Amino acid sequence: METKRRLVVMISGSGTNLQAILDACAEGRLPAEVVLVVSNRKQAFGLQRAARAGVPTLYFPLKPYKEAGRSREEYDRDLAEQVAQWSPDLIVLAGWMHILSPAFLDRFPNRVINLHPALPGMFPGTHAIQRAFEAYQRGEIEASGCMVHYVIPEVDAGPVIATARVPIFPEDTLETFEQRMHETEHRLIVEATHKALEALPV
Ligand SMILES: Nc1nc2c(c(=O)[nH]1)N[C@@H](CN(C=O)c1ccc(C(=O)N[C@@H](CCC(=O)O)C(=O)O)cc1)CN2
Ligand SMILES: NCC(=O)N[C@@H]1O[C@H](COP(=O)([O-])[O-])[C@@H](O)[C@H]1O
């Protein structure tokens, strides 16, 4: 019987992309299982999605490190130690809103991927959906999109695994554009995770 690949999914919010991964695993569309869901935010609804799916969760906040005068690198190193105990084949950042330092990334070379709601080289960082919509309204872009990329220290600049174009229409509001973006992301995250799993050494 084929051993399933082990996924750790890291979130900070609602977890709709986590849900897309959980559903794909359950339906056999991803040859993997989510073994742990990590959040840096206690109220992240994605933690409830994980619990409902019977997946172990880890709430790992940065605040105690900040309050103790400890560095982001110490946080990242301890976080990596926690995650490593679950022997992940691949780590998926699905709305994880912390920039990860080499103290984390070096522990999992070429095994951390990230979903970003913009196309390569466009709107790196946070609030990319709103920034793209405002750029469209200024006539600077005709469409946007989303991508999944390998994570390197430079933000949203790692090798691209998959992209998808998301059109913007004159009648759009930010909300209608955002909905179209999220629907596209839910498909892309599964496609890209599948590609990244296939690229892993046997
Ligand atoms: N080293 C990397 N870390 C992360 C990447 C990456 O490409 N390289 N991708 C991000 C996800 N992300 C965009 O896709 C992103 C998330 C958060 C931030 C950011 O500025 N975070 C601030 C805190 C913001 C907050 O808490 O609201 C911070 O970390 O200080 C930028 C990009 C995941 N990590
Ligand atoms: N820069 C990273 C970033 O903006 N990530 C974005 O966070 C959202 C998470 O949604 P979810 O919690 O519903 O999956 C997604 O839109 C994802 O692209």
Side-chain angles (χ1 to χ4, degrees), residues 36 58 60 74-88 103-104 107-108:
L36 178 71
L58 170 64
F60 204 79
E74 283 186 271
Y75 171 82
D76 283 358
R77 191 172 299 109
D78 292 351
L79 174 60
E81 184 56 38
Q82 291 289 318
V83 169
Q85 291 175 27
W86 293 85
S87 305
F104 182 93
R107 190 77 183 264
F108 310 102

Side-chain angles (χ1 to χ4, degrees), residues 18-201:
L18 163 66
Q19 192 64 59
I21 293 171
L22 290 169
D23 294 346
C25 291
E27 296 161 13
R29 291 182 284 115
L30 268 181
E33 59 179 330
V34 179
V35 297
L36 178 71
V37 173
V38 182
S39 176
N40 62 322
R41 295 176 183 164
K42 197 170 190 176
Q43 298 309 317
F45 186 69
L47 290 173
Q48 296 186 46
R49 296 179 189 273
R52 192 167 57 198
V55 175
T57 60
L58 170 64
Y59 165 52
F60 204 79
L62 173 62
K63 191 176 179 182
Y65 284 76
K66 283 185 172 177
E67 289 173 345
R70 302 176 68 191
S71 69
R72 284 290 286 266
E73 282 70 23
E74 283 186 271
Y75 171 82
D76 283 358
R77 191 172 299 109
D78 292 351
L79 174 60
E81 184 56 38
Q82 291 289 318
V83 169
Q85 291 175 27
W86 293 85
S87 305
D89 292 299
L90 191 67
I91 297 166
V92 184
L93 309 185
W96 175 258
M97 298 307 282
H98 274 325
I99 297 171
L100 293 168
S101 69
F104 182 93
L105 298 175
D106 290 351
R107 190 77 183 264
F108 310 102
N110 303 313
R111 290 179 182 263
V112 184
I113 67 174
N114 175 61
L115 170 68
H116 183 61
L119 292 172
M122 303 288 285
F123 313 109
T126 56
H127 307 102
I129 297 173
Q130 181 174 343
R131 290 157 58 200
F133 188 68
E134 290 169 354
Y136 171 82
Q137 289 182 315
R138 293 193 299 268
E140 295 168 1
I141 61 173
E142 294 182 356
S144 188
C146 47
M147 68 170 170
V148 178
H149 61 92
Y150 287 100
V151 177
I152 64 174
E154 185 183 355
V155 171
D156 300 329
V160 176
I161 300 166
T163 65
R165 183 176 183 273
V166 180
I168 311 174
F169 303 111
E171 65 272 20
D172 269 330
T173 63
L174 175 59
E175 290 68 29
T176 58
F177 168 53
E178 193 155 16
Q179 180 62 30
R180 189 175 307 118
M181 174 68 74
H182 290 321
E183 288 167 358
T184 305
E185 287 186 305
H186 298 159
R187 295 191 292 272
L188 186 72
I189 190 72
V190 172
E191 172 198 332
T193 300
H194 201 290
K195 281 181 74 172
L197 289 171
E198 286 182 320
L200 290 173

